Amino acid sequence: EKGGFDHFMLKEIYEQPRSIRDCMRGRIYPEKGLVQLGGIKEFAGKLKNIDRIVIIACGTSWHAGLVGEYLIEEYARVPVEVEYASEFRYRNPIITEKDLVIAISQSGETADTMAAIELAKEKGATIFGICNVVGASIPRTTHAGVYTHAGPEIGVASTKAFTAQVTVLTLMAFYIAQQRGTITESKLIEQLTELNEIPELVEQALKLNDHIKEIAWRFKDSTNCLFLGRGSSFPVALEGALKLKEISYIHAEGYPAAEMKHGPIALIDDEMPVVFIATKDSSYGKVVSNIQEVKARKGHVIAIVTEGDTEVKSMADYVIEIPQTGEAFVPLLATIPLQLLAYHIAVMRGCNVDQPRNLAKSVTVE
Ligand code: F6R
């Protein structure tokens, strides 16, 4: 059942070219510049009139929501807020009929997310779900939704479900943009053509496995680790930190790179690994300066860079080169090496990667 892999987690990491492809199948038509989402089609007209989108989720699904915030605001030009379901439900949130709530849940059974949906529903919002498990409680409660089609996820640490959630949010951003007329047909053709190539690029990123294993060996005995990124790579940093802490029990934190100087920089010494997402996009120059700040304090820098990068390579202790893609799709590629890094470190530390201590696959109690 593990298909020749040592753990479900590794199998699921390697399934991502397929799961991302399955998630896009029948939904994008790059040559026509068209996105079709049958599950929310009925609400296409309503999308023209919404004032705001509120995304609710927990854990990894909340990180996917943060990536979605960048994409939806960028392309559909609708304000987006991303909330922890557990906080949202207990603070008398301001929600009206003009709001669209998007609930994200792999299992479709998370108690806090379920309760947050019920509350938003009572207040008259339209609720969309993004779920993986077909027919679970959440997709049965929402008004409409889009399944991620990642297939069963057995490893407790979410991997392929996360990239599928990000893929659905990317599709939703383009779909909403299409309905609201905030994206041109030529731009959509260009973006969808690039998105369509992501499964092959994920396949290439998986070839970095042996190199990542060497890096893992070097840092397996660390007690702390920082993950830094800017823009939509900030939630990727949060997700990288969560993967490492939950399966290897190394204390890890994700931060927006620029926030480092407001506190976490005090942690940096010659023992501290700092993982940067430093791909060639609009925040590249700023991230380069943040890397210099870490090197000046003798931190160990592991940088995820775009293939062919030379500038970061000259500063970082280790670089992981991922294929070039459009800025919108970097989260889908940059996540892969972080999953592999967490996996190898956890295995080297003798941890039970598929079933980390104290964690359950679906959290049906609050
Ligand atoms: C982390 C992880 C958890 C879940 C969270 C929400 O790897 O799996 O943080 O993401 O418990 O679960 P769902 O998405 O099922 O609502």
Side-chain angles (χ1 to χ4, degrees):
E1 1 102 54
K2 288 183 201 149
F5 290 94
D6 290 344
H7 299 93
F8 284 108
M9 183 180 176
L10 192 60
K11 169 174 176 269
E12 288 160 5
I13 290 173
Y14 272 84
E15 274 171 4
Q16 290 174 110
R18 186 200 52 73
S19 54
I20 296 172
R21 175 67 66 211
D22 286 348
C23 179
M24 301 194 294
R25 183 164 293 120
R27 293 171 170 170
I28 64 165
Y29 300 88
E31 59 299 334
K32 292 192 205 145
L34 187 71
V35 181
Q36 275 180 346
L37 294 173
I40 58 170
K41 193 170 73 191
E42 255 187 276
F43 291 85
K46 167 123 197 158
L47 293 172
K48 293 192 181 81
N49 300 316
I50 49 170
D51 284 346
R52 185 175 68 143
I53 295 176
V54 180
I55 298 180
I56 49 180
C58 304
T60 286
S61 299
W62 183 79
H63 296 156
L66 288 175
V67 177
E69 175 180 24
Y70 282 90
L71 296 171
I72 296 169
E73 290 196 342
E74 173 73 19
Y75 293 102
R77 308 303 298 152
V78 189
V80 180
E81 282 167 35
V82 188
E83 304 242 18
Y84 284 116
S86 56
E87 288 297 316
F88 177 89
R89 63 181 289 202
Y90 286 116
R91 71 176 168 65
N92 194 13
I94 301 161
I95 292 286
T96 72
E97 306 83 55
K98 301 268 276 180
D99 289 324
L100 170 69
V101 169
I102 303 176
I104 310 172
S105 175
Q106 187 285 130
S107 63
E109 300 294 347
T110 302
D112 280 320
T113 308
M114 188 72 183
I117 292 170
E118 300 287 0
L119 180 65
K121 222 174 170 183
E122 273 168 35
K123 292 180 183 276
T126 301
I127 326 279
F128 287 178
I130 298 179
C131 296
N132 193 42
V133 178
V134 177
S137 306
I138 291 174
R140 282 189 281 117
T141 316
T142 51
H143 296 117
V146 179
Y147 281 114
T148 45
H149 296 312
E153 190 178 64
I154 312 290
V156 164
S158 187
T159 54
K160 64 173 179 170
F162 174 75
T163 48
Q165 289 165 341
V166 171
T167 304
V168 167
L169 286 157
T170 308
L171 300 179
M172 268 194 189
F174 292 141
Y175 186 80
I176 300 169
Q178 207 174 252
Q179 308 308 320
R180 295 173 72 93
T182 53
I183 191 164
T184 61
E185 195 187 64
S186 59
K187 178 84 180 164
L188 201 49
I189 290 175
E190 181 193 306
Q191 294 291 306
L192 295 179
T193 305
E194 269 194 282
L195 177 60
N196 204 30
E197 283 163 8
I198 289 294
E200 283 98 272
L201 301 185
V202 169
E203 192 85 61
Q204 283 181 37
L206 289 167
K207 301 207 172 96
L208 297 162
N209 188 48
D210 289 342
H211 175 51
I212 293 168
K213 219 166 153 174
E214 287 165 27
I215 301 174
W217 184 255
R218 166 68 186 79
F219 294 103
K220 69 178 176 35
D221 298 317
S222 300
T223 48
N224 284 289
C225 188
L226 268 182
F227 288 76
L228 304 174
R230 300 176 81 115
S232 60
S233 292
F234 158 52
V236 174
L238 291 177
E239 176 60 8
L242 178 60
K243 285 307 84 132
L244 186 66
K245 81 181 97 173
E246 70 183 332
I247 62 170
S248 77
Y249 318 139
I250 292 175
H251 173 240
E253 287 195 70
Y255 264 96
E259 273 293 304
M260 186 179 67
K261 60 183 162 302
H262 299 287
I265 199 163
L267 292 168
I268 295 168
D269 60 14
D270 59 3
E271 304 263 300
M272 183 77 160
V274 185
V275 180
F276 275 96
I277 296 127
T279 48
K280 281 259 165 61
D281 51 37
S282 52
S283 47
Y284 180 73
K286 302 272 179 200
V287 176
V288 167
S289 326
N290 299 137
I291 293 176
Q292 282 161 341
E293 287 154 18
V294 171
K295 282 317 296 172
R297 287 158 186 87
K298 307 208 161 35
H300 298 280
V301 171
I302 304 155
I304 298 187
V305 299
T306 307
E307 235 160 39
D309 183 289
T310 50
E311 200 176 346
V312 173
K313 212 173 202 167
S314 67
M315 293 183 273
D317 298 78
Y318 296 89
V319 293
I320 300 170
E321 295 184 58
I322 58 171
Q324 161 81 51
T325 186
E327 185 151 0
F329 314 120
V330 168
L332 289 170
L333 294 186
T335 299
I336 310 295
L338 300 184
Q339 295 171 341
L340 288 169
L341 185 67
Y343 171 79
H344 289 300
I345 291 180
V347 170
M348 287 167 187
R349 290 165 69 93
C351 299
N352 184 348
V353 289
D354 281 337
Q355 279 184 296
R357 67 187 181 203
N358 312 336
L359 287 173
K361 187 67 189 162
S362 73
V363 184
T364 53
V365 292
E366 70 166 292

